[in-house]
């Protein structure tokens, strides 16, 4: 009879989620060699290769992908048992505010991981605009908020800096036409800057849609009836960054900031903040090849 060890499974899950032994070691507060030994021990116990080490990075083999779901459930169950038997069970709710356009791809995964760690704590997700979220946070209506801003406000923590991009339908041609068809919600933070950039570039434009609904804007762009602006890397899979070769004006960069993590709101909020940090870190690394600024690993 072979028995799986939760410690090795925890290391395996960390490597899979964070994309490498180095990050997993930091997250688990272990040495890289210790994590590597645990992975080797797990592969020897099961008798299959779980990680494909042939490329530049580490990826899961088919067997590793199959194990990952089981491993997450076993680690989660282990943690739940420990919390309940040691009276460390947390209950309650955390309110997280996130702008519409950066919900994907980070937030669903962070919420899933949070639910596994704190199954009795609910996350109330508020999706709105940065201005509204800042107002709600200042009134104490949100524990944590993310924002998209051109600079950092007081008490903010910068998670990542990314370029603002023109976004259109895959293979679309609307961006070539004049007047340029611009699609934007009435309350979109990027609207005025994009219009100013078009005017300064001498590009004739018109509004493709007048609406306060981001879903309506997205549908218009999906139909190749307009072009919108989004932070590069946060566009949905059915849209793409327009490869305009410099014929459209540069839109500058945006900072994705977090508010609330520095205010000592306790372990639960701190843990969620750590998941958000780790979630956005690969986006910064993918752009610069360097870790994002002011990011820290959070262990429990």
């Amino acid at each position: 009879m072979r028995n799986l060890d939760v410690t090795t499974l925890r290391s395996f899950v960390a490597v899979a989620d964070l994309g490498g032994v180095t990050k997993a070691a930091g997250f688990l507060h272990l040495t890289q060699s210790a994590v590597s030994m645990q992975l080797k021990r797990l592969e020897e116990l099961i008798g299959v290769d779980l990680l494909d080490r042939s490329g530049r990075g580490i990826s899961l083999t088919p067997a590793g992908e199959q194990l990952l779901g089981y491993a997450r459930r076993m680690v989660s169950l282990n943690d739940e048992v420990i919390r309940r038997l040691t009276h460390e069970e947390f209950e309650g709710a955390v309110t997280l505010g996130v702008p519409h356009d950066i919900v994907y791809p980070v937030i669903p995964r962070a919420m899933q991981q949070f639910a596994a760690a704190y199954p009795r704590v609910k996350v109330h997700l508020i999706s709105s605009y940065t201005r509204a979220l800042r107002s709600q946070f200042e009134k104490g209506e949100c524990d944590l908020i993310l924002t998209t801003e051109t600079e950092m406000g007081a008490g903010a923590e910068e998670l990542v800096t990314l370029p603002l991009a023109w976004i259109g339908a895959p293979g679309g041609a609307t961006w070539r036409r004049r007047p340029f068809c611009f699609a934007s919600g009435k309350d979109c933070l990027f609207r005025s800057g994009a219009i100013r950039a078009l005017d300064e570039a001498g590009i004739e434009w018109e509004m493709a849609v007048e609406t306060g609904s981001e879903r309506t804007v997205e549908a218009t762009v999906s139909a190749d009836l307009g072009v919108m602006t989004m932070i590069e890397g946060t566009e949905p899979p059915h849209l793409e960054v327009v490869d305009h070769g410099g014929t459209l004006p540069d839109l500058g960069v945006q900072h994705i900031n977090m508010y609330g993590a520095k205010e000592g709101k306790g372990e639960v909020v701190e843990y969620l903040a750590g998941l958000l940090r780790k979630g956005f870190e690969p986006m910064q690394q993918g752009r610069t090849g360097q870790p994002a600024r002011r990011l820290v690993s959070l262990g429990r």
Side-chain angles (χ1 to χ4, degrees):
M1 179 67 67
R2 291 176 289 179
N3 296 310
L4 293 171
D5 175 54
V6 174
T7 300
T8 60
L9 292 176
R10 192 184 301 278
S11 293
F12 171 68
V13 171
V15 170
D17 286 345
L18 299 175
V21 173
T22 301
K23 292 182 183 178
F27 177 71
L28 297 168
H29 299 291
L30 297 172
T31 64
Q32 294 184 40
S33 60
V35 174
S36 296
M37 286 298 295
Q38 289 178 3
L39 295 175
K40 182 179 179 182
R41 191 179 308 125
L42 182 60
E43 288 178 324
E44 290 175 347
L45 175 65
I46 300 177
V48 296
D49 291 331
L50 301 173
L51 300 173
D52 182 357
R53 302 173 176 85
S54 60
R56 295 181 60 184
I58 292 179
S59 60
L60 296 181
T61 64
E65 292 175 347
Q66 187 174 4
L67 174 64
L68 184 58
Y70 291 110
R72 286 200 179 111
R73 284 152 53 189
M74 293 176 71
V75 170
S76 176
L77 182 59
N78 173 86
D79 293 348
E80 182 179 349
V81 170
I82 296 299
R83 282 196 301 270
R84 290 192 175 183
L85 294 183
T86 58
H87 305 288
E88 292 182 359
E89 184 72 12
F90 289 86
E91 296 184 356
V94 175
T95 302
L96 171 65
V98 183
H100 304 288
D101 52 349
I102 60 170
V103 169
Y104 294 100
V106 174
I107 304 306
R109 178 67 184 136
M111 292 179 65
Q112 181 184 42
Q113 292 175 314
F114 182 85
Y118 295 96
R120 297 177 67 85
V121 178
K122 295 181 179 179
V123 177
H124 295 315
L125 180 63
I126 298 176
S127 179
S128 186
Y129 295 95
T130 287
R131 296 187 188 93
L133 292 173
R134 286 287 301 271
S135 176
Q136 288 179 278
F137 179 73
E138 290 168 1
K139 294 175 183 177
E141 297 174 359
C142 296
D143 296 295
L144 283 174
I145 63 168
L146 300 183
T147 63
T148 54
E149 302 176 275
T150 56
E151 57 186 16
M152 290 179 59
E157 174 184 347
E158 181 186 307
L159 299 184
V160 64
T161 299
L162 294 169
L164 196 61
W166 298 103
I167 304 296
T174 291
W175 66 270
R176 301 177 184 273
R177 303 187 183 116
R178 298 295 182 271
F180 179 79
C181 293
F182 179 47
S184 176
K186 296 178 181 179
D187 298 316
C188 178
L189 185 67
F190 309 143
R191 179 181 177 123
S192 59
I195 290 174
R196 183 169 58 253
L198 290 170
D199 287 340
E200 291 176 352
I203 296 177
E204 184 182 0
W205 61 273
E206 63 183 14
M207 293 303 300
V209 61
E210 285 290 346
T211 180
S213 168
E214 292 300 314
R215 295 294 297 274
T216 300
V217 172
E218 191 173 306
T220 302
V221 176
S222 297
D224 197 26
L225 298 176
V227 176
M228 64 191 299
T229 55
M230 293 187 72
I231 294 177
E232 188 174 307
T234 65
E235 67 274 5
H238 55 278
L239 298 177
E240 67 179 15
V241 175
V242 174
D243 184 12
H244 54 80
T247 58
L248 294 178
D250 180 79
L251 295 171
V253 299
Q254 287 284 319
H255 304 289
I256 296 179
N257 298 327
M258 177 165 61
Y259 292 80
K262 299 179 179 180
E263 300 184 7
K265 295 183 178 179
E267 176 185 334
V268 173
V269 174
E270 184 181 354
Y271 187 78
L272 179 58
L275 292 176
L276 296 172
R277 291 187 187 102
K278 291 193 294 291
F280 281 99
E281 184 177 14
M283 299 176 71
Q284 181 75 15
Q285 290 181 324
R287 180 173 180 240
T288 66
Q290 299 294 328
R293 289 172 284 176
R294 292 185 288 279
L295 293 181
V296 297
S297 295
L298 179 66
R300 293 194 58 201

